[in-house]
C-alpha cells in the first residue's frame, strides 16, 4: 500500500508541474486528471473467489448432506467430497488413474487420426457436385445413428478391446468433421476462387491453396466438436467393451460399490474433455491468427 | 489492332419455373477496346456491367456472341486477364507479400525474380513497411492497393477492375482515384495495360478513362460510347470535365426516368 502511495505521489509531482505550466500559459483551470489505479492483487483474488462462490457452496452442502443427513447405507451412494479426495489421492499416487487416462487418450487420438480422412472426403463432397450426389444420401442415412448404437454390432465385429473402442470413437469424431468441412468448402467466398483462377491457379492449386485454407476455420470447429463427441463416445464404449480406460474404471468401481472412485473418474473425464477443447482452441488461435477476422 | 473484341454478346440467365422467368442481362453488345486503352463501363446497378466484366475474365460464358482477346476466344480465366475485385478478395491467410507472390508462384517465377517483382509492386502502391501484415490488419484503401499490386504482379495483358473503389470511404476513394490518375499520366504507354473499369461513379470514369461505355438497364445495351480527350492528370474543375460530367449524368438520369415511367405503367 505504501509503495502504491509513493508511485501516485511521484506521478502527481511530475504530472502537476507540467500540467500547471500549460494551465498558466493557457489561462484556464483544467480539473486535475487522476488515472484509475490498476486493481490490487487482493481485489483480483476476491473477484475470482466471488465467481467460485456457488460451486464452493454446493460442495459444502454436499459435504454436510453426506456426513450429517445420510445414514450409513445411503452414504455409500454419495460419499462426501473429503472421501472422494482421499480416493483421488490413492488413484493418483498408485498411478492407476494415469494408466486408465493414458489408455483412453491413446484410443481417442488413434481414432482421431483415422477420422481426419473426413477432411479430404468433405472437401470432395463440398466441391464436386457429382461426389456429393453419390455420398450425400449415404451420409444422411448413417449420420443420425448415434455412435453408441453401433456398440453391439461393433463388439460382434471386433470383440472387446482397443479396435472396437476406436471404431466407436471414430464414428463420433468423423461426422462432425465431415459435415463442417462440407459446410466450410461450400461457404468459400467465390471471389477468392475467382481471384486465384485469374492469377493463374489450376484446379489443384485452387483446392489446395484456396478452398482448403478458406475452409480451415470451419474444419477446426468440426475437429473441436468431433473430439468432444468422440470423448463422450469413448467413455460409453469403454463402459461395456474394454478392460482399461476411464470408462472401464468407473464401471468397474460401480460393481465394487466404490462410488468414491466412480466420482473421481467422472471428474477426470470432465476435466480432460475441457482441456482437450481448450487445447484445440489455443492451437487454432496460434495457427490461424487470421481466422478471427472471418467470423466476427 | 484492337486488343479486345466483343461481338454481339448476349447473356441470358435461365429462370427456374413460372415465377422466376429468364432474365436478359445483356443484349447484343459489340465494342472493340484498343491496345493500352483505359475503358470504363458505367450504368445503373443491374445493367449487366459486372456480367460483361466477368465474361471478359472468363468467369462466365456469353449465351450468344463471342469475346476475343488478341484474336483468341476467351475461355477459362488466366493471368493474362487479371481482376481487381470490389471486396479486394485478398487471401486472409497470406501476408501482403505472400498475396502478391501468389500469382508469381502459379506462373513458376523463380524466387529471386519473385522477390524483385514483389518489392517493386509494394513500392509502386506505397505499402513499404506493411509487407508482413495480414489483410485484416489493413485499412480498406491499403487492401485495395495490395489487390492492385497482386493483379499487376503477374504482368497481365488486360487489367479488369470491378468497382475497385466503391467499398472505400469518400476520402480514401478520392485519394485512390487521384493516385490512379497520376499513375496513368506518368506511366509510359509502352508499359501501360489495357484496362477495363466497371464503376457507377461518373467522376471516376471521366478522371481515368480514354473512353466511357454507357449501358442502359434491363436489358443491358450500349447506350452511348463517349471519348474523353482531356490531358492527364485530369482536373475535376476543368470546364470540359464539368461538361462531360453533365452530359453523362443526363444519359444516366434518362435511364432512371425510363424506369420510373415503366414502374408507373
Amino acid at each position: 500500500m505504501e509503495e502504491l502511495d509513493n508511485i501516485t505521489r511521484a506521478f502527481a509531482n511530475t504530472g502537476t508541474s507540467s500540467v500547471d505550466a500549460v494551465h498558466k500559459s493557457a489561462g484556464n483551470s483544467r480539473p486535475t486528471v487522476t488515472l484509475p489505479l490498476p486493481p490490487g492483487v487482493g481485489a483480483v483474488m476476491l473477484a475470482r473467489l466471488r465467481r467460485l462462490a456457488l460451486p464452493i457452496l454446493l460442495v459444502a452442502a454436499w459435504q454436510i448432506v453426506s456426513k450429517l443427513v445420510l445414514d450409513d447405507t445411503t452414504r455409500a451412494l454419495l460419499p462426501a467430497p473429503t472421501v472422494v479426495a482421499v480416493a483421488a489421492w490413492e488413484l493418483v499416487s498408485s498411478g492407476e488413474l494415469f494408466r486408465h487416462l493414458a489408455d483412453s487418450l491413446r484410443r481417442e487420438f488413434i481414432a482421431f487420426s483415422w477420422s481426419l480422412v473426413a477432411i479430404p472426403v468433405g472437401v470432395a463432397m463440398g466441391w464436386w457436385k457429382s461426389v456429393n450426389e453419390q455420398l450425400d444420401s449415404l451420409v444422411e442415412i448413417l449420420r443420425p445413428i448415434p455412435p453408441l448404437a453401433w456398440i453391439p454390432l461393433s463388439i460382434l465385429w471386433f470383440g472387446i478391446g482397443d479396435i472396437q473402442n476406436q471404431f466407436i470413437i471414430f464414428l463420433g469424431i468423423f461426422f462432425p468433421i465431415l459435415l463442417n468441412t462440407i459446410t466450410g468448402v461450400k461457404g468459400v467466398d467465390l471471389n477468392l476462387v475467382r481471384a486465384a483462377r485469374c492469377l493463374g491457379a489450376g484446379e489443384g492449386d485452387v483446392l489446395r491453396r484456396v478452398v482448403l485454407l478458406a475452409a480451415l476455420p470451419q474444419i477446426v470447429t468440426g475437429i473441436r466438436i468431433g473430439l468432444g463427441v468422440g470423448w463422450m463416445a469413448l467413455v460409453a464404449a469403454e463402459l461395456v467393451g474394454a478392460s482399461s480406460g476411464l470408462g472401464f474404471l468407473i464401471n468397474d468401481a460401480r460393481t465394487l460399490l466404490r462410488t468414491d472412485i466412480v466420482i473421481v473418474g467422472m471428474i477426470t473425464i470432465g476435466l480432460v474433455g475441457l482441456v482437450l477443447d481448450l487445447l484445440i482452441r489455443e492451437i487454432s488461435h496460434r495457427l490461424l491468427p487470421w481466422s478471427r477476422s472471418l467470423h466476427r | 489492332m484492337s486488343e479486345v473484341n466483343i461481338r454481339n454478346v448476349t447473356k441470358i440467365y435461365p429462370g427456374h419455373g413460372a415465377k422466376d422467368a429468364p432474365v436478359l442481362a445483356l443484349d447484343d453488345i459489340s465494342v472493340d477496346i484498343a491496345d493500352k486503352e483505359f475503358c470504363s463501363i458505367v450504368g445503373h446497378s443491374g445493367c449487366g456491367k459486372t456480367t460483361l466484366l466477368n465474361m471478359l475474365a472468363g468467369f462466365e460464358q456469353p449465351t450468344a456472341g463471342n469475346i476475343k482477346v488478341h484474336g483468341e476466344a476467351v475461355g477459362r480465366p488466366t493471368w493474362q486477364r487479371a481482376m481487381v475485385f470490389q471486396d479486394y478478395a485478398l487471401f486472409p491467410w497470406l501476408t501482403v507479400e505472400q498475396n502478391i507472390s501468389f500469382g508469381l508462384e502459379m506462373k513458376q517465377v523463380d524466387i529471386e525474380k519473385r522477390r524483385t517483382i514483389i518489392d517493386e509492386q509494394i513500392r509502386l502502391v506505397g505499402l513499404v513497411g506493411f509487407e508482413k501484415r495480414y489483410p485484416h490488419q489493413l485499412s480498406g484503401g491499403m487492401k485495395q492497393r495490395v489487390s492492385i499490386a497482386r493483379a499487376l504482379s503477374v504482368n497481365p495483358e488486360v487489367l479488369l477492375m470491378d468497382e475497385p473503389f466503391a467499398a472505400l470511404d469518400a476520402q480514401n476513394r478520392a485519394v485512390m482515384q487521384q493516385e490512379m490518375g497520376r499513375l496513368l499520366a506518368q506511366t509510359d504507354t509502352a508499359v501501360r495495360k489495357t484496362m477495363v473499369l466497371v464503376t457507377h461513379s461518373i467522376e471516376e470514369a471521366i478522371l481515368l478513362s480514354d473512353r466511357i461505355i454507357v449501358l442502359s438497364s434491363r436489358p443491358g445495351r450500349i447506350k452511348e460510347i463517349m471519348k474523353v480527350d482531356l490531358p492527364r492528370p485530369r482536373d475535376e474543375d476543368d470546364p470540359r470535365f464539368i461538361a462531360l460530367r453533365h452530359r453523362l449524368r443526363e444519359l444516366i438520369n434518362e435511364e432512371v426516368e425510363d424506369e420510373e415511367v415503366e414502374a408507373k405503367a
Side-chain angles (χ1 to χ4, degrees):
Chain A
M1 225 42 233
E2 198 187 19
E3 196 184 318
L4 266 180
D5 280 349
N6 286 340
I7 293 171
T8 41
R9 213 173 299 127
F11 186 81
N13 284 341
T14 54
T16 41
S17 56
S18 61
V19 169
D20 277 355
V22 172
H23 283 176
K24 273 165 200 156
S25 62
N28 63 5
S29 55
R30 181 177 156 186
T32 329
V33 179
T34 43
L35 290 174
L37 291 171
V41 184
V44 171
M45 291 283 275
L46 203 70
R48 282 197 188 145
L49 273 179
R50 205 164 49 210
R51 282 175 59 187
L52 287 174
L54 185 62
I56 289 171
L57 211 68
L58 285 175
V59 171
W62 171 12
Q63 178 80 23
I64 291 164
V65 167
S66 182
K67 285 285 180 195
L68 302 178
V69 181
L70 297 181
D71 59 41
D72 281 349
T73 18
T74 44
R75 189 173 301 137
L77 301 177
L78 187 69
T82 45
V83 178
V84 173
V86 170
W89 172 245
E90 278 169 16
L91 284 172
V92 168
S93 55
S94 70
E96 200 184 344
L97 188 68
F98 294 116
R99 207 171 54 246
H100 289 294
L101 177 62
D103 276 348
S104 291
L105 282 178
R106 181 171 41 81
R107 291 181 186 127
E108 171 96 346
F109 283 113
I110 291 173
F112 169 65
S113 326
W114 279 106
S115 62
L116 287 179
V117 76
I119 295 173
V121 175
V123 170
M125 283 181 71
W127 192 243
W128 290 295
K129 264 212 177 87
S130 53
V131 177
N132 199 44
E133 267 171 21
Q134 293 305 312
L135 291 180
D136 189 47
S137 45
L138 189 65
V139 168
E140 287 307 310
I141 291 166
L142 291 179
R143 190 176 63 90
I145 303 174
L148 307 191
W150 285 89
I151 289 179
L153 194 60
S154 66
I155 288 179
L156 293 176
W157 283 356
F158 305 111
I160 285 174
D162 276 358
I163 297 180
Q164 182 268 341
N165 291 172
Q166 282 156 17
F167 177 71
I168 298 301
I169 311 159
F170 168 83
L171 290 171
I173 308 178
F174 181 84
F175 286 106
I177 298 183
L178 181 76
L179 295 180
N180 277 283
T181 306
I182 296 172
T183 313
V185 169
K186 282 187 175 166
V188 172
D189 180 2
L190 179 62
N191 275 353
L192 286 185
V193 175
R194 287 178 161 176
R197 286 197 172 133
C198 74
L199 287 167
E203 193 72 3
D205 296 314
V206 168
L207 274 179
R208 261 180 296 117
R209 302 199 46 177
V210 178
V211 173
L212 185 63
L213 287 164
L216 206 51
Q218 184 84 42
I219 294 174
V220 171
T221 302
I223 289 175
R224 262 184 67 198
I225 300 171
L227 280 178
V229 176
W231 187 243
M232 289 184 223
L234 161 86
V235 173
E238 285 175 346
L239 283 177
V240 291
S243 49
S244 69
L246 293 170
F248 168 79
L249 175 74
I250 61 177
N251 202 36
D252 193 46
R254 174 188 63 90
T255 59
L256 303 169
L257 211 65
R258 285 294 304 271
T259 40
D260 48 348
I261 296 181
V262 172
I263 292 172
V264 173
M266 287 169 65
I267 292 172
T268 311
I269 290 164
L271 285 177
V272 172
L274 178 69
V275 168
L276 278 180
D277 194 60
L278 290 176
L279 206 67
I280 294 290
R281 242 193 282 189
E282 186 56 31
I283 290 172
S284 76
H285 276 213
R286 289 273 168 84
L287 295 184
L288 314 170
W290 48 271
S291 73
R292 261 166 291 176
S293 66
L294 290 183
H295 29 128
R296 253 163 298 195
Chain B
M1 180 193 145
S2 320
E3 173 95 349
V4 182
N5 313 98
I6 300 170
R7 279 282 161 281
N8 309 103
V9 164
T10 297
K11 180 72 179 178
I12 298 169
Y13 287 109
H16 306 276
K19 278 190 179 166
D20 185 15
V23 176
L24 178 60
L26 287 169
D27 186 21
D28 198 30
I29 304 282
S30 292
V31 65
D32 292 325
I33 298 168
D35 202 20
K36 320 283 186 211
E37 186 179 6
F38 194 119
C39 195
S40 289
I41 306 172
V42 298
H44 276 287
S45 44
C47 73
K49 51 191 196 289
T50 295
T51 304
L52 189 56
L53 200 71
N54 283 344
M55 289 194 292
L56 280 172
F59 299 148
E60 295 179 53
Q61 303 305 320
T63 313
N66 63 71
I67 301 174
K68 284 181 180 171
V69 174
H70 262 330
E72 261 181 64
V74 165
R76 298 163 143 265
T78 82
W79 58 266
Q80 277 127 340
R81 300 183 304 274
M83 173 90 97
V84 172
F85 298 85
Q86 181 180 346
D87 61 359
Y88 327 120
L90 296 176
F91 304 119
W93 52 87
L94 299 181
T95 60
V96 168
E97 57 183 7
Q98 288 168 334
N99 261 287
I100 300 173
S101 179
F102 186 91
L104 299 170
E105 286 163 41
M106 293 297 118
K107 273 178 88 177
Q108 300 184 330
V109 175
D110 65 70
I111 190 150
E112 285 130 52
K113 188 121 183 276
R114 221 150 63 199
R115 194 68 256 170
T116 325
I117 297 174
I118 293 168
D119 289 343
E120 188 196 323
Q121 288 298 339
I122 284 180
R123 215 171 26 250
L124 201 69
V125 296
L127 283 176
V128 176
F130 293 94
E131 293 88 341
K132 310 276 185 216
R133 297 278 189 106
Y134 284 91
H136 73 266
Q137 299 168 315
L138 302 177
S139 69
M142 288 159 96
K143 282 184 204 169
Q144 198 54 289
R145 285 161 200 264
V146 179
S147 172
I148 292 169
R150 183 179 67 174
L152 289 175
S153 69
V154 292
N155 196 22
E157 290 167 11
V158 185
L159 184 67
L160 306 169
M161 291 176 281
D162 186 9
E163 310 231 16
F165 310 131
L168 303 179
D169 62 77
Q171 274 150 4
N172 261 310
R173 192 184 310 139
V175 168
M176 291 291 282
Q177 288 166 348
Q178 292 293 342
E179 264 183 46
M180 191 79 160
R182 215 168 21 247
L183 212 66
L184 288 170
Q186 283 165 359
T187 40
D188 192 358
T189 42
V191 293
R192 249 180 79 176
K193 312 273 172 222
T194 306
M195 300 201 212
V196 183
L197 168 78
V198 159
T199 180
H200 61 244
S201 159
I202 292 171
E203 289 79 11
E204 189 174 299
I206 304 173
L207 204 59
L208 302 174
S209 320
D210 297 313
R211 269 195 313 163
I212 301 171
I213 301 170
V214 185
L215 287 187
S216 66
S217 304
R218 293 191 189 96
R221 292 198 182 106
I222 292 183
K223 193 180 174 87
E224 190 158 322
I225 297 178
M226 283 173 64
K227 230 174 146 48
V228 186
D229 260 335
L230 300 178
R232 296 170 190 275
R234 288 167 182 163
D235 176 9
E236 286 195 42
D237 299 326
D238 186 329
R240 288 171 297 175
F241 192 110
I242 294 168
L244 268 174
R245 182 165 59 197
H246 187 69
R247 172 82 189 111
L248 262 175
R249 189 154 286 155
E250 263 182 358
L251 278 170
I252 290 179
N253 283 348
E254 276 171 29
E255 283 299 310
V256 179
E257 281 157 22
D258 285 354
E259 267 176 37
E260 277 169 1
V261 171
E262 264 174 50
K264 274 176 193 160

